Amino acid sequence: MAHMFLFKPTLSLSLRLNKTSISLPHRSFRHSHPPFPFLSSTHPISLPSASDSNNRTHIRCSSNHTSTAVEGSEKSFVHLTDVELMRQCEMDTFKASGPGGQHRNKRESAVRIKHLPTGVIAQASEDRSQHKNRASALNRLRSLIALKVRKTVDLEAYSPPRELLQILPPKSSIRGSDCGPQIGPNNPKFALGMQALLDLFFAVEGSVSEAAKYLGLSTGALSRIILSDDSLRKEVNNLRASKGMKPLK
Amino acid sequence: MKLTLTSVYRPHCFPTLLNSSSFISLCRPFCTSALSSVPTGVKPQVPLFLRPPIYSTKLCDLKKWHDWAKGLAFSVGSTFLHSDNGPDSSLLCRELKWLMEDAVVGHHSLGVKDDGRVEMRVDMEELYCLWRQRILERRPFQYVVGCEHWRDFVLSVQEGVLIPRPETELVVDFVSGVVSENEDLKKGAWADLGTGSGALAIGIGGVLASGGGRVIATDLSPVAVAVAAYNVQRYCLQDNIELREGSWFEPLKDMEGRLAGLVSNPPYIPSKDISGLQAEVGRHEPRVSLDGGIDGMDALLHLCDGAALMLKPGGFFAFETNGKQQCRALVDYMENNRSGSFCNLEIRADFAGIQRFVIGFHQ
């Protein structure tokens, strides 16, 4: 679902959102076609790369694996609605020079969103419409926050939250039948479960077998979930590397 | 190719409704360098992606074209960028990918038939021609494919109609914010002046549709009116959006003091800057939709005067401008020359941080 956001930009280069509204998507009359195989070699678009963004994030898993809890994150950022999340962000386009507006025809519709409380940055440039790129960037931001922002877990009294249970396979011994079908990595709700799973992983210091116990799963079954999503696997392996453990493959 | 003035590119003929000497300068003919002359009773062009797939070509021929097109894009390097801040090779390659999406049907596994042919919405000869126009003539990509992606819409555009800009998307957000807090404005009649492709009217029409509000969109160009009508129809908004041909407020005489809202992205580029514009813009887009007179403010000042007359009490307006200087000048004008007419004036920036819009309310 595409959302419309109302931005009230300030006059600085980075524009802060402090008011939003939402509306239903409009009828769309086209869908994009997957590219032809020989198009995959298309010259990459020169935009700040993902690694650039990572350099700008204030929270770095590689340097600090344990204390990434953020002040005021009582309610998990990932649980916020699009409107609430956007309210905490500033957004800018990549264009910095020239008068813009009617002067320009460059189709620079790339969008970058920065989540102010955590410093996590997401961007999108694949669509022709800036509006749609904004929606994609926000989705991406949600996943990135799930990956980068950790909550402390009390292992003594640990009980997996519902969104984590939902990404577990039905064979988990603690997963009730009321959790519905298993949510996979392509479902936007996967980010919520992934965040809770990573919280647990950090608490057990990267041990798959320990985490598996808390989730009523075999080590193998939990590994399969971790390997089902590239970004999740990368985060887990970063953590394991910092603890001197072998990466999951 | 240069054509002399046609009936389409009439000079601004401001209505006599407002007799301000500042508009006299506008009542002079504009020269146009637009490419096409369009007869009256304009039939809008169908965008490439909506044309029927009646052509087919061998996959290897398509690949040959693609390699050629890519080579041409790479030969540009950053020449355009350095000459007039135009697109470089990487941007052109991205456009090439989009052109493929619009011209060729389906995924390779579905689109390629057993005999190794692909279905196309355009024949190979025209495809070569289109890319040559893009690179050698600097014809805007949006005119090449006949559409522009703007907000959630894919709007048809063609020569003679300004290509809607991403900056302008924000005006719809302003309106959406205002009507969410004011039922009365949501139910009212709005106007989009100089609608061009109909982008703002359609964006706002969609916002107002649920509350029963409507938009009257005006443009002096019959091409623009025809294209806007086509776009309105494609999004099934003809019950909410009415198109009227004429200059600015001229077709709105029946609405005096009755408009709930007024928006416009009028021509605002100072005349002296037109010759230095990026080739895609300066050579191909209608000058009448870009050139705002000596300081670029002619149409904006006219809109201010008209807004004071046409808006009902509490009515909202939003105008796009050339930047900080024009925003300030417009606010000054409203406060000094039209004191008492407007309130809650605000300058808003676009996403690149440029002060771009003046918004406010009628007293």
Side-chain angles (χ1 to χ4, degrees), chain B residues 146-165:
Chain B
C147 73
E148 171 68 321
H149 293 225
W150 191 85
R151 290 189 71 89
D152 285 352
F153 310 102
V154 184
L155 300 170
S156 169
V157 292
Q158 67 187 59
E159 266 83 1
V161 176
L162 184 82
I163 299 160
R165 307 292 201 261

Side-chain angles (χ1 to χ4, degrees), chain B residues 119-173:
Chain B
E119 286 183 278
M120 310 268 293
R121 302 181 192 282
V122 63
D123 70 13
M124 284 311 293
E125 203 177 323
E126 197 186 341
L127 206 51
Y128 274 98
C129 177
L130 288 175
W131 194 246
R132 229 176 263 127
Q133 288 174 341
R134 175 70 192 102
I135 306 285
L136 304 179
E137 294 172 28
R138 306 281 305 271
R139 189 182 183 206
F141 175 76
Q142 296 89 336
Y143 289 159
V144 168
V145 292
C147 73
E148 171 68 321
H149 293 225
W150 191 85
R151 290 189 71 89
D152 285 352
F153 310 102
V154 184
L155 300 170
S156 169
V157 292
Q158 67 187 59
E159 266 83 1
V161 176
L162 184 82
I163 299 160
R165 307 292 201 261
E167 284 86 349
T168 313
E169 292 185 0
L170 268 175
V171 174
V172 180
D173 292 329

Side-chain angles (χ1 to χ4, degrees), chain A residues 16 20 32 34 41 62 65 79 94 110-111 113 144-145 158 173 184 188-189 200-201 219 236-237:
Chain A
R16 181 173 303 201
T20 52
S32 55
S41 60
S62 53
H65 283 293
H79 286 81
F94 289 104
V111 162
I113 296 178
L144 282 173
I145 290 174
Y158 186 71
S173 61
K189 286 183 184 164
L200 176 62
F201 255 101
T219 311
V236 170
N237 281 339

Side-chain angles (χ1 to χ4, degrees), chain B residues 181-202:
Chain B
E181 291 164 1
N182 188 324
E183 269 304 305
D184 191 42
L185 293 185
K186 192 169 186 180
K187 287 185 295 197
W190 288 64
D192 169 21
L193 303 191
T195 193
S197 63
L200 274 177
I202 289 168

Side-chain angles (χ1 to χ4, degrees), chain B residues 269-289:
Chain B
I269 299 177
S271 304
K272 64 171 172 35
D273 296 343
I274 297 283
S275 63
L277 286 171
Q278 186 191 340
E280 280 80 1
V281 179
R283 277 194 228 158
H284 297 270
E285 290 194 277
R287 179 161 183 166
V288 72
S289 64

Side-chain angles (χ1 to χ4, degrees), chain A residues 148-170:
Chain A
K148 302 287 176 196
V149 180
R150 292 281 64 82
K151 269 191 302 197
T152 5
V153 167
D154 178 11
L155 285 174
E156 303 268 310
Y158 186 71
S159 148
R162 184 179 162 80
E163 56 268 18
L164 173 51
L165 293 174
Q166 284 176 326
I167 69 167
L168 300 181

Side-chain angles (χ1 to χ4, degrees), chain B residues 301-355:
Chain B
L301 294 175
H302 181 69
L303 286 168
C304 278
D305 292 335
L309 204 65
M310 306 300 289
L311 284 174
K312 65 179 187 180
F316 172 81
F317 71 87
F319 301 138
E320 183 172 324
T321 77
N322 198 35
K324 186 174 166 181
Q325 209 182 347
Q326 285 191 2
C327 281
R328 295 279 164 86
L330 206 57
V331 169
D332 280 350
Y333 180 80
M334 287 185 169
E335 282 171 347
N336 299 324
N337 300 53
R338 293 256 150 221
S339 64
S341 293
F342 301 107
C343 59
N344 301 335
L345 296 177
E346 268 185 73
I347 293 174
R348 294 284 178 87
D350 62 24
F351 286 128
I354 295 171
Q355 296 182 20

Side-chain angles (χ1 to χ4, degrees), chain B residues 91-124:
Chain B
L91 278 171
L92 290 167
C93 283
R94 181 162 60 166
E95 292 182 358
L96 178 59
K97 186 172 146 258
W98 288 334
L99 173 57
M100 290 282 293
E101 281 176 19
D102 283 8
V104 184
V105 178
H107 187 263
H108 62 284
S109 58
L110 304 169
V112 183
K113 295 177 182 169
D114 294 340
D115 54 358
R117 298 184 76 85
V118 277
E119 286 183 278
M120 310 268 293
R121 302 181 192 282
V122 63
D123 70 13
M124 284 311 293

